[in-house]
Amino acid sequence: MDHTHAASTDDKLGDSMRAAFLETEGRLVMINAQMPTIQSSDQILIKVKTVGICGSEVHAFRGSHPFRKAPVILGHEMAGDVVSVGKSVSNFRTGDRVIVDPQWTCGECAYCRAGDINLCPSKRMLGTPSWPGAFGEYITAPENTVLHLPDSLSYTQGSLIEPLSVAVHVARRANVSANKSVAVLGSGSVGGMIVGVCRAYGAQPVVAVDIHEHCVEIARKRLGATHTLLVPDQKLADRMIDLAGGEGVDIVFVAADDPILVTQGVEMAKRRGRIMLVALLTSSPLNLAAYEILKKELEIVGNMSINPEDVQRAIAFAVSRQVDVNAIATHVFPIEEAQRGMELASTKDDGAIKVILSFGSD
Ligand SMILES: [Zn+2]
Ligand SMILES: [Zn+2]
């Protein structure tokens, strides 16, 4: 690692920086934004190298996200270099390659003290007005949100640790283990990572389902899905039950924002099966067959973000190559093309799954 470059002055530390700014619904523009500065002794100033476009940010772009709303600097799937550190920072120094857990929590509530920081009622999320995100060239972050990016991982791979951590989180809560049957409804970026994590835990069959052929193909070829199905399909539940051996599926992950998938998940789940809700941002009610849930003793489980142990596990999966994180990174664009990147992430045209934005050479 070349410490001297990151610390050199060719990146002038003026007070403005490049940023792709979500000005209004559907419109990302390049601006010169105010550069953030270290505000307390535990903070770290980081120069962003890469940032992934998350499904939640596609919602923000369309104006359909509950709290990510324009005008805002989005971006929470980031990797970069430490530029400077506050006085009390002890584990990082200028030039370190880092990633950030995008949850700035209070550290004091019962959830934080128990380690369930994802449930902290007063947490700030990176990429919102209260904590401007990594579509800007610099961010600040408290030390306890920052992690070292291992040398064996590129910045792009670093940007994929957050979606991989989401997959680790839901797989952990679902108790995925060897020989469990798994259906992943929606196998784009987070869904693709769920396929990879479930296979790493030895689950089988692991069936990847999507509306896009390229998503299920990557899930099969690079992330280990044992079977794939394309939707819409009236017979989805029947086909899934057959693939799982006739009794139904142990674990259903709903990783696409379509409430009908939860309805179908209830149909295809085995007795005592679990339905894990991952990427549902809709506020509309779900249409569930109550007696099916009761009769089969199903569990329907919500999931929000990640915990520190999930991030550690995700880094280990990426470093060991047990999960091929690169599989979902289909496009890398310079930050100046954020608008085009967002449109591609939204339409999934041109074989797109995860679009990464870059502030320069990786
Ligand atoms: Zn994300
Ligand atoms: Zn808290």
Side-chain angles (χ1 to χ4, degrees):
M1 183 175 12
D2 182 359
H3 286 267
T4 51
H5 172 74
S8 76
T9 49
D10 54 20
D11 305 311
K12 271 238 173 71
L13 304 181
D15 15 61
S16 81
M17 65 171 184
R18 291 181 290 160
F21 179 60
L22 184 66
E23 190 177 62
T24 178
E25 218 176 283
R27 209 171 119 75
L28 275 160
V29 291
M30 286 306 292
I31 59 166
N32 284 318
Q34 181 80 35
M35 207 175 117
T37 53
I38 289 176
Q39 297 293 318
S40 67
S41 64
D42 68 328
Q43 289 183 10
I44 299 179
L45 179 67
I46 302 165
K47 185 176 199 295
V48 177
K49 290 288 200 174
T50 55
V51 57
I53 299 178
C54 179
S56 66
E57 288 158 343
V58 173
H59 277 277
F61 182 72
R62 292 180 187 149
S64 56
H65 193 279
F67 63 86
R68 295 185 199 275
K69 291 196 184 299
V72 63
I73 299 177
L74 296 167
H76 62 270
E77 299 176 357
M78 62 81 63
D81 292 333
V82 171
V83 174
S84 61
V85 300
K87 280 195 219 47
S88 66
V89 169
S90 54
N91 286 319
F92 298 90
R93 56 192 181 121
T94 302
D96 283 356
R97 300 165 77 247
V98 293
I99 56 176
V100 170
D101 178 343
Q103 306 170 95
W104 185 337
T105 56
C106 78
E108 282 159 18
C109 69
Y111 300 104
C112 281
R113 279 186 278 123
D116 297 322
I117 66 161
N118 60 325
L119 299 178
C120 175
S122 54
K123 76 173 175 182
R124 287 187 255 173
M125 297 293 289
L126 185 59
T128 59
S130 65
W131 188 12
F135 284 19
E137 196 169 6
Y138 295 85
I139 64 158
T140 50
E143 180 175 19
N144 64 4
T145 67
V146 181
L147 297 105
H148 288 280
L149 177 62
D151 286 341
S152 62
L153 298 180
S154 67
Y155 292 108
T156 295
Q157 288 170 316
S159 277
L160 297 164
I161 295 297
E162 197 267 354
L164 178 57
S165 302
V166 172
V168 169
H169 182 76
V170 294
R172 177 164 66 79
R173 284 169 55 71
N175 254 321
V176 173
S177 58
N179 301 317
K180 293 274 190 194
S181 54
V182 169
V184 182
L185 310 184
S187 62
S189 44
V190 166
M193 292 291 92
I194 291 171
V195 169
V197 169
C198 289
R199 290 295 289 149
Y201 285 132
Q204 62 165 342
V206 174
V207 187
V209 178
D210 205 277
I211 52 173
H212 297 286
E213 179 128 34
H214 69 272
C215 291
V216 296
E217 278 305 287
I218 284 177
R220 186 174 62 80
K221 288 190 183 137
R222 297 189 57 181
L223 294 161
T226 57
H227 304 78
T228 64
L229 292 171
L230 284 171
V231 284
D233 179 353
Q234 295 294 333
K235 293 213 153 35
L236 179 67
D238 292 340
R239 288 187 218 286
M240 197 66 82
I241 290 165
D242 283 349
L243 288 173
E247 281 281 302
V249 183
D250 290 308
I251 303 161
V252 180
F253 294 95
V254 178
D257 192 35
D258 185 350
I260 189 73
L261 297 173
V262 188
T263 310
Q264 292 175 323
V266 167
E267 268 178 74
M268 69 181 67
K270 194 175 178 173
R271 284 156 199 263
R272 291 264 167 87
R274 291 205 165 105
I275 295 132
M276 310 300 291
L277 309 188
V278 187
L280 279 169
L281 288 171
T282 177
S283 50
S284 49
L286 300 171
N287 187 7
L288 300 175
Y291 188 64
E292 280 289 291
I293 299 172
L294 186 141
K295 181 180 77 182
K296 297 200 280 189
E297 294 200 340
L298 301 181
E299 288 176 61
I300 301 177
V301 182
N303 292 281
M304 174 49 67
S305 203
I306 54 181
N307 293 115
E309 64 183 291
D310 304 316
V311 186
Q312 294 299 344
R313 180 66 60 87
I315 291 171
F317 275 143
V319 167
S320 67
R321 307 293 194 254
Q322 279 177 282
V323 178
D324 177 6
V325 284
N326 282 333
I328 58 168
T330 55
H331 294 71
V332 181
F333 288 151
I335 190 69
E336 284 76 14
E337 292 177 41
Q339 173 82 19
R340 185 172 143 234
M342 185 64 86
E343 283 164 1
L344 212 55
S346 176
T347 61
K348 298 240 170 83
D349 284 348
D350 192 28
I353 299 181
K354 174 69 74 185
V355 178
I356 307 265
L357 302 172
S358 164
F359 279 93
S361 53
D362 193 340

